[in-house]
Amino acid sequence: MAAGELFAEHGVEGTSVRAIAAKCNANIAAVNYHFGSKENLYLVVIRYVLEQTQCYRAAELMARKQEWEHDPHKCAEAIYRVVEEHIQQFFTGIHPRWHGRIFMRVLLQPTPAIWEIMEELTMPNLESLRTLIQCCRPGMNDAEAELWVDSLMGQLIHYIFAEDFLLIVPGRRKLSDNAYQKDILRHVTRIMIRGLELPMPTFLEEEVPHA
Amino acid sequence: MAAGELFAEHGVEGTSVRAIAAKCNANIAAVNYHFGSKENLYLVVIRYVLEQTQCYRAAELMARKQEWEHDPHKCAEAIYRVVEEHIQQFFTGIHPRWHGRIFMRVLLQPTPAIWEIMEELTMPNLESLRTLIQCCRPGMNDAEAELWVDSLMGQLIHYIFAEDFLLIVPGRRKLSDNAYQKDILRHVTRIMIRGLELPMPTFLEEEVPHA
DNA sequence: GTCTATAGGGTGATAGAC
DNA sequence: GTCTATCACCCTATAGAC
């Protein structure tokens, strides 16, 4: 959907149905015919993006937690795999850049209609992340686990959110840079593992970012 | 400025000069007389907010770094004080909630004009943070230090950015909750200190969030 | 400096022919 | 389903009286 690209970059208010129609060589009236209204089209785009970028790995890991929850080394690996999935979903070329940016707009300004979609598509992942972290540190209460989820998501989201700003800073690498993605993955995972006082996997042992 | 509140909540595109004028019982023409255009008013608001919420503590600490840089315990305390300042500036009631939200909009969608302001008012703080972290871990290169700054800022910004979303999650505390602010401060600081492998200050020793 | 009035243009949505 | 034409509205910005 070409609409998403415009919504992502200029917001709902900053995008006109006319611009959307022009971008995909369609008719203004046709857009309204298919989607009812601009507002509704926005919701359709959001649902599409959230479906595309859903993360399942935390839920998968929780489904077979008995295989790893008692081994701190495997807990650390679980963290790694979860961070890896999120970076794949948002940073790599799997999805166009505007997917992430739509997500950011949604987080910044959620309407009740938007929240229904998030409750269905986003919340389960956050819930899984929370319980996964609780598995890594048995006895951790919900409030503290939420802080850990916030820390993880915050670090990752920041790169999408502030991408345009960071790009203007001289000497910074682009988010599409493969080596940069790997550095972020390694860095964030290490912070989480060290913070949760889990054993550091050998493949994450000290190795400084290149540039 | 009442304009900022509207810009913060609905974005530039979603805010009309009429609404601004109405909110402060002024005339539509008067607004344009004083600020030239809506776009310019937006820039004035941004500059005002960034000036108000500037953080100086990192720069202050760097100015007298010889007092602490060789003592890991004092390094850890420096980290704490920097995080504390940022939380004070953005979470507590010192500034109205819309200050933070304007900041988020600016990060999400920086124009060249906006960036000039950020270069002047925001970049110095990020630079100071980077060098401060490098002081804590001598020999750390710029790329890695940037990752650390990103992690710190990402964790903090996330709470402002996704505030509305997080509020809808059942059982979550409000960001204005004083105990919550303290939990976040303690949590983020601990992550940074543990991640940088500095000694944990006694006042941050284990203590679980309440709720 | 502040107001009214208005210009000049863009907006979302729809009616009705094809 | 797709198009043209059009409605009714809201927008920014300004000219000109006070």
Side-chain angles (χ1 to χ4, degrees):
Chain A
M1 210 73 66
E5 212 164 326
L6 291 167
F7 284 146
E9 229 51 50
H10 311 104
V12 209
E13 325 273 8
T15 307
S16 69
V17 182
R18 300 176 131 79
I20 295 167
K23 182 147 196 160
C24 52
N25 297 321
N27 190 277
I28 312 136
V31 174
N32 273 308
Y33 174 81
H34 282 289
F35 298 102
S37 71
K38 183 169 89 161
E39 196 56 33
N40 198 263
L41 170 55
Y42 186 45
L43 292 178
V44 169
V45 167
I46 289 172
R47 173 168 284 274
Y48 170 79
V49 168
L50 294 192
E51 272 169 3
Q52 291 290 314
T53 56
Q54 241 177 324
C55 294
Y56 300 103
R57 208 170 284 173
E60 281 164 17
L61 283 163
M62 286 313 293
R64 46 192 174 80
K65 62 174 174 178
Q66 69 287 349
E67 294 175 22
W68 53 269
E69 64 179 336
H70 297 300
D71 179 348
H73 291 88
K74 287 183 179 164
C75 286
E77 201 192 317
I79 299 278
Y80 174 79
R81 299 190 69 78
V82 161
V83 178
E84 181 189 46
E85 182 190 33
H86 281 80
I87 286 187
Q88 277 171 0
Q89 283 289 53
F90 286 103
F91 295 5
T92 68
I94 302 179
H95 305 292
R97 164 193 144 95
W98 63 268
H99 280 200
R101 291 183 67 83
I102 284 277
F103 202 153
M104 295 305 102
R105 294 217 174 255
V106 157
L107 279 181
L108 185 60
Q109 226 173 335
T111 64
I114 290 177
W115 196 71
E116 271 186 43
I117 303 175
M118 301 201 79
E119 189 167 30
E120 184 189 335
L121 299 175
T122 309
M123 285 298 298
N125 178 46
L126 294 180
E127 271 291 303
S128 300
L129 280 177
R130 186 175 57 73
T131 52
L132 186 144
I133 284 169
Q134 282 174 318
C135 266
C136 293
R137 297 289 311 230
M140 182 187 284
N141 68 28
D142 287 2
E144 201 188 340
E146 260 170 8
L147 287 171
W148 283 101
V149 175
D150 290 343
S151 290
L152 173 55
M153 294 305 288
Q155 288 181 76
L156 297 177
I157 279 175
H158 175 255
Y159 287 103
I160 312 165
F161 182 52
E163 184 180 3
D164 282 355
F165 167 68
L166 295 176
L167 269 180
I168 324 182
V169 181
R172 272 197 101 106
R173 290 177 282 178
K174 288 186 189 170
L175 208 55
S176 55
D177 178 341
N178 234 294
Y180 192 30
Q181 291 167 11
K182 279 191 186 140
D183 285 345
I184 294 172
L185 167 58
R186 204 165 45 229
H187 175 74
V188 171
T189 310
R190 275 211 288 240
I191 287 188
M192 293 297 291
I193 288 175
R194 215 175 270 161
L196 290 166
E197 291 173 306
L198 296 170
M200 189 65 65
T202 51
F203 63 94
L204 287 178
E205 287 295 331
E206 301 307 330
E207 185 187 330
V208 174
H210 322 63
Chain B
M1 210 75 64
E5 213 165 326
L6 291 167
F7 284 146
E9 230 50 48
H10 310 104
V12 208
E13 325 274 8
T15 307
S16 68
V17 182
R18 302 175 125 77
I20 296 167
K23 184 148 196 159
C24 52
N25 298 321
N27 190 276
I28 312 136
V31 175
N32 273 309
Y33 173 81
H34 282 291
F35 299 102
S37 71
K38 183 169 89 162
E39 196 57 32
N40 196 262
L41 170 55
Y42 186 46
L43 292 177
V44 170
V45 168
I46 289 172
R47 173 168 285 275
Y48 170 78
V49 167
L50 294 192
E51 271 169 3
Q52 292 290 315
T53 56
Q54 242 177 323
C55 293
Y56 301 102
R57 207 169 286 172
E60 282 164 17
L61 284 162
M62 286 314 292
R64 45 190 174 84
K65 62 175 174 177
Q66 69 286 347
E67 292 175 22
W68 54 267
E69 64 179 335
H70 296 301
D71 179 349
H73 290 88
K74 287 183 179 167
C75 287
E77 202 193 314
I79 300 279
Y80 173 80
R81 298 190 70 78
V82 161
V83 177
E84 181 189 43
E85 181 190 34
H86 280 80
I87 286 186
Q88 277 171 0
Q89 283 289 51
F90 286 104
F91 295 4
T92 68
I94 303 180
H95 306 293
R97 162 194 147 96
W98 64 267
H99 281 197
R101 291 183 66 84
I102 284 277
F103 202 155
M104 295 305 103
R105 296 219 173 252
V106 157
L107 278 181
L108 184 60
Q109 227 173 336
T111 64
I114 290 176
W115 196 72
E116 269 185 45
I117 303 175
M118 301 201 78
E119 189 168 31
E120 185 189 335
L121 299 175
T122 309
M123 285 298 298
N125 178 45
L126 294 181
E127 271 292 301
S128 299
L129 280 177
R130 185 173 60 71
T131 52
L132 187 145
I133 284 168
Q134 282 173 317
C135 266
C136 293
R137 298 288 311 229
M140 182 187 284
N141 69 29
D142 287 2
E144 201 188 339
E146 261 170 8
L147 287 171
W148 283 101
V149 175
D150 290 344
S151 290
L152 173 55
M153 294 305 288
Q155 288 180 76
L156 297 178
I157 279 176
H158 175 255
Y159 287 103
I160 311 165
F161 182 51
E163 184 180 2
D164 282 354
F165 167 67
L166 295 176
L167 269 180
I168 324 183
V169 180
R172 271 196 101 105
R173 290 175 283 178
K174 287 188 191 170
L175 208 55
S176 55
D177 178 341
N178 235 293
Y180 191 30
Q181 290 167 12
K182 279 191 186 141
D183 284 346
I184 294 172
L185 167 58
R186 205 166 44 228
H187 175 76
V188 171
T189 310
R190 273 210 290 241
I191 287 188
M192 293 296 291
I193 288 175
R194 216 175 269 161
L196 290 166
E197 292 173 304
L198 296 170
M200 190 66 64
T202 50
F203 63 94
L204 287 177
E205 288 296 332
E206 300 308 328
E207 185 187 331
V208 173
H210 324 62

